[in-house]
């Protein structure tokens, strides 16, 4: 399967990717800005995520929330998301509504600041604070996705701090801070625009030229510090979190090769063998056979800068102590290292990944997002057409080598959630580690 791709770049630096597919009368517009929480400076965390909200609050020619109204009135869907190293905005609309989606994206890229007010900032700061309470602080296990990066990336590595930011930093943000952050990062030369689906390429080029070409390029963004890290943690990292949860849950992370590197694909296959769907090792051994877990999965964060992490996520069954859960998970990891994997396991993993890839590429929105992703990270969206060949080239020996070098005791970070005030925790803390302590062995 090869995705048809055309690319061109405007004079202001905006990289544009086109991918025609006339299967259905819809078109997806996807805009990636190469900015995420990694670009935030100390004391000003949460800005990238705050902008995910601010960019829907109107621009010079679009009223607050009118972006949503116009797209939905046209029959489309839309949203945005923020991650450690990027922010994206996306719309999927009927084919005849491509112009409105492009114009809306262009207006907020080129004319957001004239419409920014203190009232909008205060309102969205409150929205983000409530989102933090709802999705992080008051959500069972909700803090894992800020505690795990904090555990596995050393301070002051750009991936160390929280993506959603702290209350203190958000409250300290001034309108000038916000305007400076936008002017630095939300510029055409720091963005990739992708159009995928049912459209006329000539018309799309004309629309992009008409709406985006006059937006001035930025003045440059600060370089990120050196993000390279040793290949392993150099010991065992550990944090135990008492939380309002009913069952223990373990997040076990390993430092792994960066997304897109030649070694990444063996890591991804290893993760699929361990925890991809019901036939994976962890599901079979821990959920079905030994009945110590209710669910188990493994996945990579897919970070292309410096170092990635491979994460194993396992929730205990009622009555299973944290110490027992950790022992059972570790047993499976050690078994992969000592016994290796089989050709049939590697073949299964490649087949599952391939099926997911083909299914996702059938959706205009997902195709546009993936093209923006590869264009942003590697400067070349056609890299997407090499992915399955890279997976198919992974051998049993490659996976065994990854397991031998990356899944050992010198490269394990345990983030264990335990029910608050559970009497079993006293025993587990003695066995598993010191509460909320970070131990490097």
């Amino acid at each position: 399967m090869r995705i048809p791709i055309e690319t061109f770049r405007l004079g202001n630096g905006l990289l544009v990717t086109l991918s025609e597919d006339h299967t259905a009368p819809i078109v997806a517009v996807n805009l990636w800005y190469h900015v995420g929480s990694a670009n935030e400076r100390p004391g000003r965390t949460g800005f990238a995520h705050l902008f995910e909200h601010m960019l829907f609050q109107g621009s010079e020619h679009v009223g607050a929330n009118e972006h949503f109204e116009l797209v939905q009135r046209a029959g489309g869907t839309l949203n945005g998301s923020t991650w450690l190293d990027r922010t994206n905005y996306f719309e999927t609309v009927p084919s005849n509504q491509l112009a409105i989606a492009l114009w809306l994206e262009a207006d907020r890229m080129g004319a957001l600041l004239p419409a920014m007010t203190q009232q909008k900032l205060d309102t969205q700061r409150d929205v983000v604070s409530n989102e933090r309470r709802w999705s992080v602080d008051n959500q069972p296990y909700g803090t894992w996705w800020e505690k795990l990066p904090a555990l596995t990336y050393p301070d002051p590595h750009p991936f160390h701090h929280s993506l959603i930011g702290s209350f203190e930093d958000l409250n300290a943000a001034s309108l000038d801070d916000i305007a400076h952050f936008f002017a630095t990062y939300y510029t055409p030369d720091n963005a990739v625009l992708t159009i995928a689906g049912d459209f006329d390429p000539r018309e799309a080029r004309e629309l992009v030229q008409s709406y985006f070409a006059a937006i001035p390029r930025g003045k440059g963004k600060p370089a990120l510090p050196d993000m390279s890290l040793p290949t392993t943690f150099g010991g065992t990292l550990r944090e135990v979190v008492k939380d309002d949860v009913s069952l223990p849950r373990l997040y076990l992370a390993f430092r792994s090769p960066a997304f897109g590197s030649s070694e990444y694909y063996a890591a991804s296959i290893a993760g699929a063998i361990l925890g991809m769907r019901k036939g994976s090792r962890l599901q079979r051994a821990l959920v079905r056979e030994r009945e110590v877990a209710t669910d188990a999965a493994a996945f990579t964060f897919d970070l292309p800068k410096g170092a990635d992490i491979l994460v194993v996520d396992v929730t205990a069954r009622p009555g299973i102590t944290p110490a027992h859960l950790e022992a059972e998970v570790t047993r499976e990891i050690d078994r992969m290292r000592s016994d290796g994997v089989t050709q049939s396991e590697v073949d299964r993993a490649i087949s599952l990944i391939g099926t997911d890839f083909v299914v996702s590429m059938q959706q205009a929105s997902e195709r546009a997002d993936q093209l923006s992703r590869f264009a942003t990270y590697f400067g070349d969206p056609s890299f997407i057409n090499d992915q399955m060949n890279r997976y198919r080239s992974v051998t049993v020996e490659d996976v065994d080598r990854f397991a031998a070098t990356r899944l050992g005791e010198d490269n394990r970070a345990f983030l264990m959630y335990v029910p608050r005030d559970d009497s079993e925790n006293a025993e587990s803390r003695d066995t598993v580690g010191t509460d909320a302590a970070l131990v490097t062995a």
Side-chain angles (χ1 to χ4, degrees):
M1 180 180 186
R2 293 195 68 78
I3 306 300
I5 299 170
E6 293 179 53
T7 61
F8 62 98
R9 193 182 290 274
L10 299 183
N12 57 15
L14 179 66
L15 178 59
V16 184
T17 300
L18 306 178
S19 181
E20 279 185 79
D21 179 2
H22 301 286
T23 304
I26 58 172
V27 62
V29 171
N30 187 291
L31 189 60
W32 270 46
Y33 290 99
H34 206 169
V35 56
S37 59
N39 300 94
E40 296 160 352
R41 59 188 175 90
R44 290 294 182 269
T45 63
F47 275 30
H49 177 249
L50 180 62
F51 261 97
E52 182 191 323
H53 291 254
M54 292 299 294
L55 263 66
F56 287 110
Q57 294 310 301
S59 46
E60 186 171 15
H61 306 101
V62 180
N65 295 316
E66 195 175 8
H67 193 122
F68 269 97
E69 293 172 10
L70 288 170
V71 171
Q72 291 178 353
R73 198 179 302 155
T77 59
L78 72 162
N79 214 330
S81 72
T82 311
W83 185 226
L84 303 182
D85 55 2
R86 58 81 182 152
T87 303
N88 67 346
Y89 297 91
F90 44 91
E91 296 90 3
T92 300
V93 295
S95 304
N96 63 340
Q97 299 292 340
L98 175 60
I100 186 65
L102 290 173
W103 180 80
L104 286 167
E105 290 294 357
D107 199 64
R108 61 183 176 184
M109 177 189 285
L112 183 83
L113 291 182
M116 189 177 292
T117 66
Q118 186 67 46
Q119 181 183 14
K120 289 180 180 178
L121 171 59
D122 293 341
T123 299
Q124 291 311 305
R125 189 159 38 199
D126 290 343
V127 170
V128 171
S129 294
N130 284 332
E131 182 180 346
R132 182 187 168 86
R133 294 186 187 95
W134 175 79
S135 65
V136 179
D137 297 325
N138 296 324
Q139 188 75 229
Y141 316 105
T143 56
W144 81 269
W145 59 282
E146 65 179 6
K147 288 187 176 296
L148 197 62
L151 182 62
T152 53
Y153 290 94
D155 190 16
H157 191 283
F159 292 154
H160 175 81
H161 72 267
S162 169
L163 188 157
I164 202 167
S166 69
F167 287 127
E168 292 76 13
D169 288 355
L170 289 171
N171 289 334
S174 69
L175 200 58
D176 286 344
D177 290 332
I178 296 296
H180 178 72
F181 194 79
F182 178 82
T184 302
Y185 293 107
Y186 295 79
T187 60
D189 49 319
N190 195 41
V192 169
L193 172 67
T194 298
I195 302 170
D198 181 35
F199 64 91
D200 176 77
R202 182 185 58 79
E203 179 190 16
R205 284 175 178 262
E206 290 175 354
L207 289 171
V208 170
Q209 182 73 29
S210 175
Y211 296 151
F212 288 89
I215 301 172
R217 66 168 58 234
K219 297 179 180 177
K221 61 180 184 179
L224 287 168
D226 181 11
M227 298 174 73
S228 60
L229 292 167
T231 55
T232 68
F233 299 131
T236 299
L237 309 178
R238 185 183 302 283
E239 181 172 354
V240 179
V241 181
K242 287 190 295 186
D243 202 357
D244 294 323
V245 297
S246 58
L247 296 169
R249 178 180 291 178
L250 173 64
Y251 295 93
L252 173 56
F254 311 88
R255 185 168 289 164
S256 66
F259 173 60
S261 66
S262 57
E263 298 85 6
Y264 162 81
Y265 298 91
S268 183
I269 294 289
I273 291 171
L274 280 170
M276 190 174 191
R277 309 242 171 83
K278 301 297 184 185
S280 64
R281 286 191 175 201
L282 294 175
Q283 280 276 344
R284 190 171 59 247
L286 304 187
V287 177
R288 298 211 308 267
E289 295 175 359
R290 300 204 285 275
E291 298 184 344
V292 298
T294 59
D295 199 9
F299 51 89
T300 53
F301 267 29
D302 289 355
L303 298 168
K305 299 184 181 73
D308 197 6
I309 52 174
L310 169 65
V311 181
V312 168
D313 171 2
V314 182
T315 304
R317 277 180 180 265
I320 301 298
T321 66
H324 189 182
L325 181 68
E326 177 177 321
E328 292 289 351
V329 173
T330 302
R331 175 178 166 189
E332 286 306 308
I333 300 299
D334 289 339
R335 191 170 73 85
M336 176 178 271
R337 297 189 74 226
S338 61
D339 299 350
V341 300
T342 66
Q343 185 63 53
S344 64
E345 286 181 309
V346 173
D347 292 343
R348 169 190 174 275
I350 294 172
S351 295
L352 288 175
I353 292 170
T355 298
D356 283 357
F357 175 76
V358 171
V359 170
S360 67
M361 289 302 100
Q362 291 175 339
Q363 305 170 39
S365 57
E366 183 64 20
R367 179 185 294 197
D369 195 53
Q370 292 300 316
L371 290 171
S372 287
R373 179 192 195 202
F374 285 103
T376 299
Y377 286 161
F378 308 111
D380 183 2
S382 68
F383 193 36
I384 196 171
N385 285 326
D386 296 331
Q387 293 308 292
M388 285 317 304
N389 284 336
R390 289 181 173 236
Y391 277 111
R392 293 188 191 99
S393 69
V394 173
T395 65
V396 168
E397 291 73 22
D398 293 332
V399 180
D400 287 346
R401 188 180 309 112
F402 169 79
T405 58
R406 298 292 192 126
L407 302 186
E409 293 182 356
D410 64 339
N411 193 35
R412 296 176 182 176
F414 294 86
L415 177 64
M416 179 70 82
Y417 281 78
V418 299
R420 197 189 302 277
D421 296 327
D422 187 328
S423 59
E424 288 184 339
N425 294 338
E427 177 188 352
S428 69
R429 280 195 295 273
D430 290 339
T431 307
V432 176
T434 304
D435 183 29
L438 174 60
V439 180
T440 304

